[in-house]
Amino acid sequence: MHSKAAAEFAILQQLSDPKFIRAFLTELDEKIRLTSENQEHWLARANLCRRGGFLKEAREAFLNYQRMAGGSAVRRMSQNNVTPVEVPTANGAKIAPIIMIDGFLDAKDQKGLLDYAVANKEAFRDANINSKQPQYDPDKRKTLVFHKFEFMRDHFINHISENIAQMTGDLGLEQFQVDIQEIKITNHVEGGFFRVHTDNRSEFAAAGRAITWLYYFSNVPSNFTGGDLLVFDSDIEKDEYQLQSFTKIAAKPNRLVAFPSWYYHAVVPVRQTSKKFADGRFAIAGHVRKVACKPGR
Ligand SMILES: O=C(O)CCC(=O)C(=O)O
Ligand SMILES: [Fe+2]
């Protein structure tokens, strides 16, 4: 990995270190206790918790924040929302709306999928940066990818199609007409990572990727550390993100995560002692593409 990438990931690791976050939370909770009706304190708590990956606590804090903002002022979070929609943070950015479902597949399908991916090891290739930059660049990304997989492909695509209205709503997006669904299996083994990037830079009105989703799978318990997904608070219009403000989501097996494709995100480096392909951080990675909105809208 390039030293610049390593330095950036070192900063991100410090910012999300659970020990430091806990220390900050202790201090903040003292303030919240003294002034428990202060909405901004609850938002600060939610922001600290999500940066440290304490997602249940972050949700609780967001619910308190929303309760204090009063009924109609904010959109309610559905039970799948880790973060709410339309919450501003620093410098004009917004918190990335994220939904998450744990326990997505039953045990038989989970095992079937892992066995299938491991049996097809030879079909995995080094991933390119993205479809607009079709070159392999180990400074930006180190990911193994298998595009033409078959096992449970339709199951995932159908699930997304059947639940797209709910997902779109939970993510605070306008309903759109689905174009195609991109889908692939990825694996991040020892040293694997993906630097901060966005999956789509064009406006919502244009055609292209609208929702990015990931289904994580691996041995249970996982034989790797790291590999967290970070989703950054972003200013979509200015195409900027806040390096110090993000939600950290562990790539826990059997977890489905989705967010709007415009938000910046990264995969922190994976560490494996076994160095085995089969012990990697696997994911089904999907992008729901939308058709362009009708002119005049
Ligand atoms: O594997 C992940 O958690 C994210 C992958 C990603 O950013 C992508 O496929 O565009
Ligand atoms: Fe991405």
Side-chain angles (χ1 to χ4, degrees), residues 25 28-50 56-69 77 84 87 95:
L25 281 171
L28 183 71
D29 285 348
E30 189 62 22
K31 278 197 209 159
I32 292 181
R33 202 167 53 76
L34 297 175
T35 58
S36 68
E37 291 310 302
N38 186 323
Q39 199 192 356
E40 291 313 310
H41 283 163
W42 284 111
L43 183 57
R45 183 168 223 284
N47 286 339
L48 273 172
C49 286
R50 68 190 172 91
K56 277 204 195 104
E57 280 178 79
R59 198 183 135 83
E60 283 300 305
F62 275 127
L63 288 170
N64 278 329
Y65 168 76
Q66 292 196 316
R67 182 171 51 75
M68 258 166 247
M77 292 196 281
V87 176
I95 295 175

Side-chain angles (χ1 to χ4, degrees), residues 38-236:
N38 186 323
Q39 199 192 356
E40 291 313 310
H41 283 163
W42 284 111
L43 183 57
R45 183 168 223 284
N47 286 339
L48 273 172
C49 286
R50 68 190 172 91
R51 208 171 81 196
F54 311 143
L55 301 181
K56 277 204 195 104
E57 280 178 79
R59 198 183 135 83
E60 283 300 305
F62 275 127
L63 288 170
N64 278 329
Y65 168 76
Q66 292 196 316
R67 182 171 51 75
M68 258 166 247
S72 59
V74 281
R75 285 184 50 143
R76 298 280 147 206
M77 292 196 281
S78 85
Q79 60 171 12
N80 295 334
N81 278 84
V82 174
T83 47
V85 302
E86 291 296 320
V87 176
T89 46
N91 306 324
K94 277 185 187 151
I95 295 175
I98 303 171
I99 53 176
M100 182 174 94
I101 299 170
D102 279 332
F104 185 70
L105 293 184
D106 65 27
K108 184 171 149 278
D109 284 343
Q110 269 187 84
K111 181 172 181 326
L113 191 54
L114 184 60
D115 289 349
Y116 173 81
V118 172
N120 282 278
K121 180 179 173 189
E122 299 309 319
F124 283 76
R125 299 281 173 270
D126 287 316
N128 298 325
I129 303 170
N130 59 44
S131 50
K132 289 219 176 78
Q133 294 167 278
Q135 73 269 30
Y136 172 58
D137 182 348
D139 281 343
K140 296 242 161 57
R141 175 178 202 186
K142 195 167 166 266
T143 307
L144 294 167
V145 59
F146 174 20
H147 285 280
K148 294 197 168 131
F149 80 99
E150 279 163 18
F151 187 81
M152 293 194 80
R153 186 185 192 94
D154 291 343
H155 179 88
F156 279 95
I157 289 183
N158 292 341
H159 176 88
I160 300 294
S161 298
E162 284 157 19
N163 292 282
I164 192 70
Q166 174 82 37
M167 286 173 87
T168 304
D170 288 350
L171 294 175
L173 300 174
E174 276 178 53
Q175 299 294 326
F176 59 83
Q177 194 186 332
V178 175
D179 182 6
I180 57 158
Q181 291 200 42
E182 299 172 58
I183 185 166
K184 55 192 182 277
I185 302 184
T186 61
N187 190 12
H188 288 83
V189 292
E190 168 63 23
F193 69 96
F194 197 166
R195 284 188 75 181
V196 186
H197 69 283
T198 158
D199 295 342
N200 183 0
R201 284 214 165 94
S202 54
E203 299 166 57
F204 184 79
R209 291 168 168 177
I211 296 176
T212 295
W213 61 266
L214 289 314
Y215 169 78
Y216 299 115
F217 63 103
S218 58
N219 285 315
V220 183
S222 304
N223 283 328
F224 65 86
T225 57
D228 299 319
L229 169 72
L230 308 183
V231 189
F232 294 85
D233 302 0
S234 308
D235 182 334
I236 308 300

